[in-house]
Amino acid sequence: MTEELNPFKIAQEQLDVAAKLLKLDPAVHNLLREPKRVLEVTFPVRMDNDQVKIFKGFRVQYNDARGPYKGGIRFHPQETIDTVKALAAWMTWKTACVDLPLGGGKGGVVCNPKEMSRRELERLSRAYIDAIGTVIGPELDIPAPDVYTDAQIMAWMVDEFSKIRGHNVPAVITGKPIALGGSQGRGDATARGAAYTIREATKRLNIPLRGSSIAIQGYGNAGSNTAVILHEMGARIIAVSDSKGGILNENGLDSNAIIQHKHKTGSVVGFPGAKTITNESLLEEQCDILVPAALENVITTKNASRIKAKIVAEAANGPTTPEADDILFKNKVFHIPDLLCNAGGVTASYFEWVQNAYGFYWPVEEVYDRLDKIMTKAFNDVYAIHVKQNVNMRMAAYMLSVQRVAEAMQLRGWV
Ligand code: NAD
């Protein structure tokens, strides 16, 4: 049998296993297998050469039993509706895993931002909001950044939505610049949350974080900030990569200097004093902790048995296939699943939404402190199920999250 790589089929498969373990009511299970609403939009954007190009975008609203839909917007040339559906399902489980009063959604536009000017990106961002504007809002569905979207793009989007409404609506989008109502600490919150879960995992496994060796795939928001924060916690970053390739130095790399090098040259590759490696070999490097922080399906049956790390911490969404999960579990690799590991981003987004509603803003120390408490509690909740039920950490996170969403659906009388 060939390995399933369709992210939505994988998300459904993971849910099916959790539903069986939880003995979930079949009606709840069947409702949770599909998104509540899927919107596909087609819209024109005038390019710098004066030609009009037609783009396709999506917004998937998966489940809002626990609160408004919440999830990022991804700009990617290979974006598909099934990727967006999977990411929307994972958002539903993620907000429930860290116990936020939010549901799950996700958006995407099929485009290649690397080939577009800033002006073109601004027009595309505004046009996408015009196209989905009727289904989003602070009490309805709150987008945020994801792969190849950033705080500036969120600024254009919140401005466009505010124009539609006729007044400023900061709480419609999170991950905004601080000057427009963004939260202190949101920028690196995904990475910080991941680092907190890694810290908790090392305590359970008796691996001293100080001095431990780290390999990170992907050097964007999630990856580069995880490198900086783990370095601050005393760990040694030995290998990192981006879409152009990877670099390795067993003695340790300077994570901030790599950010500057990538900024200047467009890639981590060519960083002085490091050996060039491939993205594939990075995953198999001898290290204590491996952090996939790029895209889906990078750990599969093809390479799972060659992973040498003691801990795999999924800063990325969906980097491991279910078959690879089983191999890692069998090989006693401790896995911090995406639902838990990268939930710091949505947690700080939730803080931003709360602060926007109050019009009262917290200092960064308060954000870090609240984030640490939520991530540590979620880690402990998931770990307790992992031990008690003897299931892998992903299934433990699923069981916790699905149970919470199912309870909200039943209390509402949906099923
Ligand atoms: P980003 O656009 O800032 O960075 C993506 C990075 O991945 C870039 O360095 C890019 O070069 C690299 N990359 C792309 N293709 C690659 C490949 N084939 N091999 C190796 N590297 C590759 O995106 P991000 O926000 O850091 O998101 C990365 C992952 O983290 C995604 O799975 C995303 O869904 C997840 N995530 C992000 C957030 C957030 O707040 N940014 C929150 C939760 C989860």
Side-chain angles (χ1 to χ4, degrees):
M1 212 173 75
T2 55
E3 193 173 13
E4 180 61 68
L5 295 180
N6 176 317
F8 186 50
K9 293 235 168 74
I10 289 177
Q12 287 182 318
E13 222 177 281
Q14 290 164 336
L15 170 70
D16 293 345
V17 180
K20 204 166 164 202
L21 289 166
L22 289 167
K23 300 188 177 55
L24 205 63
D25 175 330
V28 176
H29 178 195
N30 287 331
L31 201 49
L32 285 175
R33 289 191 97 244
E34 296 290 339
K36 202 164 155 189
R37 185 193 268 169
V38 175
L39 178 67
E40 180 178 321
V41 292
T42 307
F43 55 89
V45 177
R46 190 166 294 279
M47 309 305 277
D48 290 346
N49 65 6
D50 215 29
Q51 302 269 313
V52 172
K53 208 169 153 189
I54 308 302
F55 289 89
K56 196 166 272 303
F58 311 101
R59 186 74 194 167
V60 173
Q61 298 180 329
Y62 204 87
N63 187 289
D64 65 346
R66 290 171 48 88
Y69 303 103
K70 182 90 194 80
I73 295 169
R74 186 177 279 198
F75 286 178
H76 200 275
Q78 270 95 47
E79 192 67 304
T80 67
I81 184 60
D82 277 358
T83 310
V84 185
K85 278 188 190 174
L87 289 163
W90 289 329
M91 281 307 296
T92 305
W93 314 135
K94 195 178 302 181
T95 54
C97 184
V98 282
D99 210 4
L100 306 178
L102 294 167
K106 201 81 182 189
V109 177
V110 187
C111 66
N112 189 350
K114 288 186 181 165
E115 289 172 359
M116 296 171 72
S117 71
R118 289 309 273 175
R119 292 333 268 161
E120 287 172 339
L121 265 182
E122 175 176 352
R123 290 195 288 272
L124 175 97
S125 305
R126 290 184 185 278
Y128 174 65
I129 290 301
D130 290 340
I132 67 162
T134 50
V135 301
I136 61 169
E139 286 101 29
L140 177 58
D141 182 356
I142 309 127
D146 194 73
V147 174
Y148 299 150
T149 54
D150 56 18
Q152 176 59 72
I153 290 176
M154 298 305 113
W156 293 323
M157 289 182 170
V158 80
D159 183 65
E160 192 63 22
F161 187 80
S162 298
K163 280 183 185 158
I164 296 171
R165 285 283 177 95
H167 59 91
N168 191 20
V169 192
V172 66
I173 280 174
T174 57
K176 300 179 293 295
I178 304 272
L180 293 185
S183 176
Q184 298 284 347
R186 171 63 182 91
D188 65 3
T190 301
R192 196 166 293 277
Y196 292 150
T197 63
I198 290 170
R199 180 196 65 201
E200 294 308 306
T202 56
K203 282 189 210 160
R204 304 292 177 142
L205 300 179
N206 278 325
I207 300 170
L209 183 52
R210 186 160 284 281
S212 63
S213 52
I214 317 272
I216 301 181
Q217 184 190 50
Y219 215 65
N221 178 307
S224 67
N225 286 313
T226 303
V228 171
I229 294 165
L230 288 178
H231 176 76
E232 281 166 12
M233 289 176 162
R236 190 162 37 97
I237 313 302
I238 60 154
V240 303
S241 70
D242 61 23
S243 58
K244 304 211 172 77
I247 54 173
L248 168 78
N249 182 341
E250 284 96 349
N251 296 323
L253 294 157
D254 179 339
S255 37
N256 279 308
I258 302 172
I259 293 177
Q260 281 157 21
H261 176 80
K262 184 168 163 71
H263 196 67
K264 242 191 287 164
T265 65
S267 174
V268 299
V269 178
F271 183 70
K275 197 171 111 190
T276 302
I277 55 169
T278 63
N279 252 307
E280 293 72 39
S281 65
L282 175 133
L283 299 167
E284 298 169 22
E285 283 304 331
Q286 189 73 51
C287 63
D288 295 314
I289 302 161
L290 171 66
V291 184
L295 295 171
E296 305 85 39
N297 295 335
V298 294
I299 304 178
T300 66
T301 47
K302 293 203 176 82
N303 60 1
S305 58
R306 292 196 297 272
I307 302 274
K308 298 178 194 78
K310 298 178 190 121
I311 297 174
V312 173
E314 295 185 337
N317 282 308
T320 315
T321 63
E323 288 86 347
D325 266 351
D326 293 341
I327 296 171
L328 295 183
F329 190 53
K330 207 173 74 213
N331 290 349
K332 301 201 168 12
V333 177
F334 188 85
H335 211 161
I336 312 174
D338 46 7
L339 301 187
L340 171 65
C341 187
N342 68 38
V346 71
T347 303
S349 271
Y350 163 64
F351 296 160
E352 182 173 332
W353 180 67
V354 169
Q355 292 170 83
N356 291 154
Y358 274 80
F360 179 74
Y361 291 83
W362 310 341
V364 73
E365 298 75 27
E366 190 168 342
V367 172
Y368 290 167
D369 185 46
R370 287 178 188 268
L371 182 64
D372 195 348
K373 288 197 175 94
I374 288 181
M375 296 303 298
T376 303
K377 176 171 186 310
F379 181 92
N380 289 335
D381 289 348
V382 172
Y383 189 82
I385 297 173
H386 158 69
V387 173
K388 192 162 169 220
Q389 307 281 345
N390 190 27
V391 291
N392 66 32
M393 284 285 283
R394 184 177 326 279
M395 223 9 85
Y398 257 88
M399 288 174 75
L400 176 70
S401 310
V402 171
Q403 183 66 58
R404 284 179 174 161
V405 177
E407 186 190 358
M409 288 164 68
Q410 275 158 337
L411 285 168
R412 283 175 184 276
W414 288 1
V415 277

